[in-house]
């Protein structure tokens, strides 16, 4: 449990009108704002009116504060607590036209004017992506309270033309005094775009009207709620929290606005609900009060948890510093000071996943029933199982065998007939599996050498043996081809040693390892090489080295590497220019506001710095455009070079496949000719083969191929047996003497 008072912040609305005197004093942990009210001479020289009003806040945001700064100071700590399982609330309070909606929702003109709600949505999904070990879900609801009636702004079944078409939301209270909102829909949001679309839909249905104090005054209280749930992978505990983002309607004095008709009715309901809110705040601030009038209005009922309950709450007091609004600003700050006295007790909202709990309880009930049935032997089931029961048991056993979970169990109840049938069915399946895997054992030749290994392949079927023989034949082809290539290499180096002119070979291995990682992540050539055997890869590397078009590929790679380095440098220059432009823009806006406030825009002595910054910005923009065009052209060249490299490598691969196929066919023809020699020469060749499997390494086979001819048909069978011994594990071998 965390006990925390409501955090209060103050934001000053920028204004062009006549300002009142105020001063902000920043300290380490808080800010102090002071409003100065000079005495009115018309009221006489002797009066006891207070001239200075001082109010303490966590932070006071001046007129030049950006939306991003407000979000980081106010909303980010609350969102972090919501992700940890605590409920949170952020609400804005102030008179009409003081900037509440701009702070909470944002302005429609600029992207940088986004308010707390859209920035919170973006921040939530950003944090979801940073915590892959958790599974997050987000649901959204949007409630509007207009003239003490609740409406669902996200109702999916209504294309509304007026507010009365939306379904009304009613309050319901359970026996634990928890408030439930009937007819308020909750919508899932799987990504940021869906969440922002829901926000846009709700904002289009809000009640907005033009008043003398505000051209677009919201005439209702709105509560935008984000329901967040999080569960760590493998855990049965779910953390659920909700974040209320509340945009309260602004209080207004009828004497100033001269409202009438519908505007007057709306103002009455707004002021009355805010009056009830202040009553709740006063009651919570007084320690001896036993009753808090939450039920006086719908708004205070909805915010019951946020005010003195299980929630971490933050308030933003928005103030207008125009002289005609000074009294309302002081009243808003007084209200904020009373709110800061309220202490909430927030707890982590954790619960077990109900689906997991239900499944666990069901299993426990079934096990207890079985134990009870076995303990009470009085009821013995007799007779044969029905066909329907047999089919169900077969399905249960099949699922049990397919389940890879080592903790899974086979539960068929306490019926011994079913248990015996399951044992019988499993035994039949095992016998059938053994019968399918049996093949005839390998016979031992009478004239076989006395010291070699014969493989018992009885548990392998004919298809597996065929695959192993094909693999052996491929390895023999690879060795023969490599031997031929090595002979060519040896002849080439002998010619060089004797001073003969060497056949031209291309330098470089054709590797793409020196390329940037961005261009070699999913290279098709590398994927092909990974699917080749080691011998075939070696042959491919030698073939590629002497390939005619390899030099073009190397030249394109060098150009690609150089272009990428240049593109990286241009990107850094562009990013630096963009950051500098943003800094200059921010600085020029600050200077512009100062000049406008002092009416010095047309004074060349005062605005010289502003003009200098503007010229610098124009120069930087021109450099930015020029470098950006260079980067675009370079990107086209890089893409073209990549295309040429991939095209050349595909051609290289095709040519290698053709050459490899020809070599394999040639090698098989030679082997066929060798197999047609007489039996006596075959036996003599067998006796020259080493008796151990280690002598069949690649190097020894290459050397023996140059000294003797392996033409015995029995030698082929012996090689198959010996290589099968290499592929099989030691426990599957049988040694015969």
């Amino acid at each position: 449990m965390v006990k925390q008072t409501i955090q209060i912040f103050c934001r000053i609305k920028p204004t062009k009108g006549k300002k009142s005197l105020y001063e902000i004093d920043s300290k380490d942990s808080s800010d102090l704002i002071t409003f100065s009210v000079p005495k009115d001479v018309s009221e006489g020289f002797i009066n006891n009116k207070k001239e200075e009003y001082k109010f303490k806040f966590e932070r006071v945001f001046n007129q030049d504060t950006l939306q991003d700064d407000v979000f980081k100071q106010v909303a980010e700590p609350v969102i972090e607590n919501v992700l940890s399982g605590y409920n949170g609330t952020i609400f804005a309070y102030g008179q009409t036209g003081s900037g509440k909606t701009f702070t909470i929702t944002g302005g429609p003109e600029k992207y940088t004017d986004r308010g707390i709600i859209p920035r919170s949505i973006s921040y939530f999904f950003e944090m979801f992506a940073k915590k892959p070990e958790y599974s997050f879900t987000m649901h959204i609801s949007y409630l509007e309270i207009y003239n003490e009636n609740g409406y669902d702004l996200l109702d999916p079944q209504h294309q509304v033309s007026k507010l009365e078409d939306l379904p009304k939301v009613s309050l319901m209270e359970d026996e634990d005094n928890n408030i439930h909102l009937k007819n308020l829909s909750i919508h899932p949001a799987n990504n940021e775009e869906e969440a922002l679309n829901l926000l846009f839909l709700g904002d289009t249905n809000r009640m907005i009207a033009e008043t003398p104090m505000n051209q677009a005054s919201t005439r209702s209280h709105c509560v935008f709620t984000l329901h967040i749930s999080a569960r760590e992978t493998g855990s049965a505990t779910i953390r659920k929290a909700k974040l209320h983002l509340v945009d309260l309607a602004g209080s207004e004095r009828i004497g100033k606005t001269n409202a009438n008709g519908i505007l007057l009715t709306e103002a009455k309901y707004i002021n009355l609900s805010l009056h009830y809110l202040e009553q709740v705040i006063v009651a919570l601030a007084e320690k001896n009060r036993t009753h808090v009038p939450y039920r006086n209005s719908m708004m205070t009922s909805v915010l019951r948890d946020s005010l003195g309950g299980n929630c971490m709450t933050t308030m933003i007091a928005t103030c207008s510093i125009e002289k005609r609004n000074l009294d309302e600003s002081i009243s808003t700050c007084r209200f904020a000071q009373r709110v800061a006295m309220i202490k909430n007790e927030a707890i982590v909202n954790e619960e077990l996943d109900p689906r997991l709990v239900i499944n666990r309880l069901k299993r426990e009930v079934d096990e207890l029933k079985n134990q009870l049935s076995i303990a009470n032997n009085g009821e013995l089931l007799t007779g044969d199982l029905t066909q329907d029961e047999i089919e169900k048991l077969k399905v249960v056993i099949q699922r049990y065998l397919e389940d890879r979970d080592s903790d899974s169990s086979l539960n068929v109840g306490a019926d011994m007939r079913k248990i015996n049938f399951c044992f019988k069915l499993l035994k039949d399946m095992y016998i059938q599996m053994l019968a399918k895997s049996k093949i005839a054992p390998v016979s031992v030749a009478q004239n076989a050498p006395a010291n070699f290994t014969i493989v018992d392949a009885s548990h392998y079927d004919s298809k597996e043996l065929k695959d192993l023989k094909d693999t052996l034949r491929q390895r023999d082809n690879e060795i023969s081809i490599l031997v031929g290539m090595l002979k060519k290499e040896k002849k080439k180096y002998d010619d060089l040693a004797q001073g003969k002119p060497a056949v031209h070979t291309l330098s470089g291995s054709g590797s793409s390892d020196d390329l940037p990682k961005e261009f070699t992540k999913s290279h098709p050539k590398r994927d092909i090489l990974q699917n080749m055997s080691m011998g075939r890869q070696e042959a491919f590397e030698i073939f590629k080295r002497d390939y005619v078009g390899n030099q073009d590929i190397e030249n394109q790679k060098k150009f690609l590497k150089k272009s990428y380095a240049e593109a990286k440098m241009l990107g850094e220059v562009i990013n630096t220019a963009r950051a500098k432009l943003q800094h200059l823009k921010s600085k020029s806006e600050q200077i512009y506001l100062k000049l406008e406030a002092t009416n010095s825009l047309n004074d060349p002595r005062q605005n010289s710095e502003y003009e200098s910054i503007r010229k610098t910005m124009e120069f930087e923009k021109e450099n930015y455009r020029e470098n950006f065009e260079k980067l675009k052209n370079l990107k086209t060249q890089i893409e073209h070079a990549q295309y040429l490299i991939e095209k050349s490598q595909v051609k290289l691969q095709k040519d290698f496949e053709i050459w490899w196929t020809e070599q394999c066919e040639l090698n098989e023809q030679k082997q066929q000719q060798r197999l047609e020699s007489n039996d006596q020469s075959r036996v003599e060749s067998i006796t020259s083969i080493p008796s151990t499997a280690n002598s069949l390494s690649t190097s020894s086979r290459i050397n023996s191929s140059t000294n003797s001819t392996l033409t015995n048909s029995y030698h082929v069978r012996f090689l198959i047996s010996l290589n099968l011994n290499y592929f099989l594990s030691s426990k599957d071998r049988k040694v015969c003497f």
Side-chain angles (χ1 to χ4, degrees):
M1 179 183 294
V2 177
K3 292 185 178 181
Q4 185 185 60
T5 58
I6 296 179
Q7 306 295 302
I8 58 172
F9 295 84
C10 179
R11 187 175 191 183
I12 307 299
K13 178 187 176 182
T15 182
K16 296 180 182 179
K18 198 171 183 181
K19 304 174 186 177
S20 57
L21 298 176
Y22 75 98
E23 183 181 352
I24 299 174
D25 184 15
S26 298
K27 297 183 179 180
D28 294 337
S29 58
S30 61
D31 289 351
L32 192 69
I33 184 170
T34 304
F35 292 100
S36 298
V37 183
K39 290 185 177 181
D40 191 355
V41 180
S42 61
E43 296 181 1
F45 291 101
I46 301 175
N47 60 65
N48 295 323
K49 278 193 173 183
K50 198 173 181 179
E51 295 186 19
E52 283 189 351
Y53 296 86
K54 295 183 179 181
F55 303 100
K56 184 179 180 181
F57 291 90
E58 296 291 329
R59 175 77 188 276
V60 178
F61 301 106
N62 211 339
Q63 301 180 59
D64 56 351
T65 304
L66 301 177
Q67 291 279 69
D68 188 50
D69 296 333
V70 175
F71 172 76
K72 288 181 178 179
Q73 294 283 339
V74 177
E76 276 193 9
V78 180
I79 294 175
E80 294 291 344
N81 291 328
V82 170
L83 291 172
S84 300
Y86 296 97
N87 294 332
T89 299
I90 301 173
F91 71 94
Y93 180 91
Q95 73 172 112
T96 182
S98 59
K100 298 181 302 300
T101 302
F102 180 79
T103 300
I104 296 295
T105 305
E109 296 180 359
K110 299 178 183 178
Y111 181 78
T112 54
D113 289 344
R114 292 178 304 153
I116 289 177
I117 294 180
R119 290 177 185 270
S120 298
I121 292 172
S122 301
Y123 190 75
F124 267 119
F125 283 102
E126 182 182 341
M127 297 305 295
F128 292 170
K130 290 182 179 179
K131 296 183 178 181
E133 68 275 11
Y134 284 88
S135 175
F136 291 96
T137 61
M138 176 185 286
H139 291 76
I140 294 175
S141 64
Y142 207 167
L143 171 68
E144 180 176 36
I145 303 174
Y146 175 71
N147 292 352
E148 279 302 304
N149 292 316
Y151 297 95
D152 181 13
L153 293 177
L154 300 180
D155 181 59
Q157 301 177 354
H158 292 78
Q159 297 292 333
V160 298
S161 58
K162 53 184 180 179
L163 185 67
E164 287 75 10
D165 294 337
L166 289 170
K168 283 192 175 182
V169 178
S170 56
L171 292 174
M172 301 184 70
E173 188 173 353
D174 59 18
E175 57 185 8
D176 296 328
N177 295 327
N178 296 319
I179 297 296
H180 302 276
L181 298 172
K182 185 180 179 181
N183 294 333
L184 181 64
S185 61
I186 299 179
H187 302 263
N190 299 318
N191 50 56
E192 182 180 350
E193 183 180 359
E194 291 181 7
L196 293 176
N197 287 338
L198 291 172
L199 173 62
F200 176 76
L201 173 63
D203 286 341
T204 55
N205 292 330
R206 289 185 64 176
M207 282 298 297
I208 297 175
E210 183 177 353
T211 66
M213 299 290 290
N214 191 356
Q215 292 182 350
S217 175
T218 52
R219 312 302 292 167
S220 60
H221 310 297
C222 289
V223 182
F224 186 87
T225 306
L226 297 167
H227 302 264
I228 308 297
S229 65
R231 182 173 68 182
E232 192 173 3
T233 304
S235 174
T237 304
I238 297 180
R239 286 185 176 181
K240 292 185 176 180
K242 54 187 177 181
L243 174 61
H244 295 304
L245 300 170
V246 186
D247 180 17
L248 298 176
S251 61
E252 55 185 84
R253 294 189 178 183
I254 307 302
K256 284 187 176 182
T257 61
N258 296 320
N260 52 36
I262 297 177
L263 292 179
L264 178 60
T265 304
E266 292 171 346
K268 289 179 181 178
Y269 278 106
I270 292 171
N271 290 340
L272 184 62
S273 62
L274 293 176
H275 170 67
Y276 289 141
L277 174 63
E278 188 166 4
Q279 284 185 345
V280 170
I281 298 300
V282 171
L284 290 170
E286 295 178 2
K287 296 182 180 179
N288 297 328
R289 289 284 291 268
T290 58
H291 172 68
V292 180
Y294 288 113
R295 295 189 182 91
N296 284 352
S297 71
M298 186 175 189
M299 181 186 63
T300 53
S301 298
V302 171
L303 298 180
R304 173 180 291 189
D305 278 345
S306 304
L307 304 172
N310 175 25
C311 191
M312 291 185 174
T313 305
T314 299
M315 171 190 168
I316 306 176
T318 56
C319 299
S320 174
I321 57 171
E322 295 182 3
K323 279 192 173 182
R324 62 193 181 104
N325 298 325
L326 183 59
D327 292 340
E328 286 81 2
S329 298
I330 293 174
S331 177
T332 298
C333 292
R334 283 175 176 163
F335 177 80
Q337 302 304 304
R338 287 194 290 268
V339 169
M341 298 172 65
I342 300 174
K343 183 175 291 187
N344 290 347
E345 296 181 355
I347 60 174
V348 177
N349 302 293
E350 287 185 340
E351 62 181 32
L352 292 176
D353 189 348
R355 293 174 297 179
L356 297 177
V357 174
I358 290 171
N359 292 333
R360 180 174 58 81
L361 292 176
K362 283 183 177 179
R363 288 197 302 270
E364 290 180 1
V365 169
D366 291 338
E367 290 176 2
L368 291 172
K369 284 182 179 179
N370 295 337
Q371 293 176 10
L372 184 62
S373 177
I374 292 174
N376 299 329
N377 293 325
E379 295 185 8
L380 296 176
L381 299 173
T382 59
D384 297 332
L385 295 173
T386 63
Q387 188 63 32
D388 187 32
E389 290 175 331
I390 291 175
E391 294 298 328
K392 288 182 178 178
L393 287 174
K394 289 181 178 179
V395 173
V396 170
I397 290 176
Q398 188 66 29
R399 290 177 180 172
Y400 172 72
L401 294 176
E402 292 175 354
D403 191 357
R404 299 299 182 187
D405 187 3
S406 59
D407 296 331
S408 63
S409 60
L410 178 62
N411 190 357
V412 294
D415 190 349
M416 291 303 299
R417 300 174 304 164
K418 295 182 179 180
I419 295 174
N420 291 331
F421 177 80
C422 290
F423 277 116
K424 181 179 180 301
L425 190 59
L426 289 171
K427 185 176 181 180
D428 292 341
M429 294 172 68
Y430 177 71
I431 293 173
Q432 292 175 7
M433 183 181 67
L434 288 179
K436 287 182 180 179
S437 63
K438 291 292 182 182
I439 64 173
V442 177
S443 59
V444 182
Q446 294 180 359
N447 57 348
N451 193 17
F452 71 95
T453 303
I454 300 296
V455 178
D456 179 15
S458 60
H459 59 288
Y460 286 89
D461 57 17
S462 58
K463 183 178 182 302
E464 289 176 309
L465 285 173
K466 184 177 179 299
D467 292 340
L468 291 173
K469 291 177 181 179
D470 291 340
T471 303
L472 179 61
R473 187 171 64 254
Q474 291 176 7
R475 296 295 180 269
D476 288 337
N477 288 337
E478 291 173 5
I479 291 173
S480 299
I481 294 172
L482 285 172
V483 167
M485 299 182 77
L486 287 173
K487 287 181 179 179
K488 291 181 182 179
E489 291 293 318
K490 184 179 179 182
K491 184 176 181 301
K492 189 183 301 182
Y493 288 118
D494 290 342
D495 292 343
L496 286 174
Q498 295 174 6
K500 296 181 180 180
V503 180
H504 176 67
T505 59
L506 300 176
S507 61
S509 61
S511 174
S512 59
D513 294 336
D514 56 346
L515 279 179
K517 293 182 180 179
E518 286 76 3
F519 300 109
T520 59
K521 283 184 179 177
S522 59
H523 208 287
K525 177 181 75 69
R526 290 193 171 186
D527 294 339
I528 293 169
L529 284 177
Q530 288 176 359
N531 297 327
M532 291 182 181
S533 62
M534 291 297 296
R536 196 169 179 179
Q537 288 184 27
E538 292 175 6
F540 180 81
E541 292 298 331
I542 298 174
F543 175 83
K544 180 177 61 175
R545 188 187 62 189
D546 296 330
Y547 186 63
V548 178
N550 195 36
Q551 186 63 46
D552 295 335
I553 296 176
E554 290 300 313
N555 292 336
Q556 290 294 339
K557 286 180 180 178
K558 291 178 182 178
F559 172 75
L560 190 61
K561 185 178 180 181
K562 180 181 177 182
S563 300
Y564 178 75
E566 186 177 352
K568 186 177 181 181
M569 182 184 67
L570 282 174
E572 293 175 353
V573 172
I574 289 173
N575 289 334
T576 304
R578 185 189 293 116
K580 189 173 182 180
L581 280 171
Q582 291 177 351
H583 174 71
L584 291 172
K585 183 180 178 183
S586 174
K587 190 174 181 180
S588 66
E589 288 176 352
Q590 293 177 1
I591 296 174
Y592 179 84
L593 291 175
K594 290 180 181 179
L595 293 174
E596 191 178 25
T598 56
N599 295 325
S600 304
L601 279 174
N602 298 324
D603 188 357
R605 292 175 299 176
Q606 298 290 335
N607 63 3
S608 59
E609 184 181 2
Y610 178 73
E611 292 297 331
S612 175
I613 291 176
R614 288 191 60 184
K615 290 179 181 179
T616 307
M617 287 178 64
E618 292 297 329
F619 178 76
E620 291 295 334
K621 284 181 181 178
E622 188 63 30
N623 287 339
Y624 178 88
R625 294 191 194 100
E626 183 179 348
N627 289 326
F628 189 80
E629 287 298 324
K630 288 182 181 178
L631 185 60
K632 284 176 63 177
N633 296 333
L634 196 58
K635 181 183 177 184
T636 305
Q637 296 177 13
I638 289 173
E639 291 174 349
H640 181 65
Q642 284 181 286
Y643 169 74
L644 292 178
I645 290 175
E646 292 176 359
K647 185 178 178 181
S648 301
Q649 287 173 341
V650 169
K651 187 176 184 302
L652 168 64
Q653 179 64 25
K654 288 181 179 179
D655 292 344
F656 172 74
E657 291 295 338
I658 295 171
W659 175 82
W660 181 263
T661 305
E662 292 174 353
Q663 294 295 321
C664 289
E665 292 176 354
L666 213 63
N667 186 55
E668 288 179 358
Q669 291 176 3
K670 291 180 180 179
Q671 288 183 359
Q672 187 67 26
Q673 292 174 0
R674 290 170 183 170
L675 290 174
E676 294 175 355
S677 60
N678 57 65
D679 294 338
Q680 185 63 30
S681 61
R682 298 174 199 163
V683 174
E684 293 176 356
S685 64
I686 290 176
T687 58
S688 65
I689 299 176
S691 61
T692 60
N694 293 332
S695 63
L696 286 177
S697 62
T698 303
S699 60
S700 64
R701 293 179 70 178
I702 291 174
N703 293 329
S704 64
S705 65
T706 60
N707 298 322
S708 63
T709 306
L710 304 178
T711 58
N712 190 346
S713 61
Y714 179 76
H715 167 230
V716 176
R717 293 195 298 272
F718 173 70
L719 279 178
I720 292 173
S721 299
L722 200 55
N723 278 273
L724 284 175
N725 182 44
Y726 175 77
F727 286 111
L728 299 178
S729 61
S730 59
K731 67 179 181 180
D732 294 328
R733 304 173 188 166
K734 286 185 179 179
V735 181
C736 300
F737 299 94

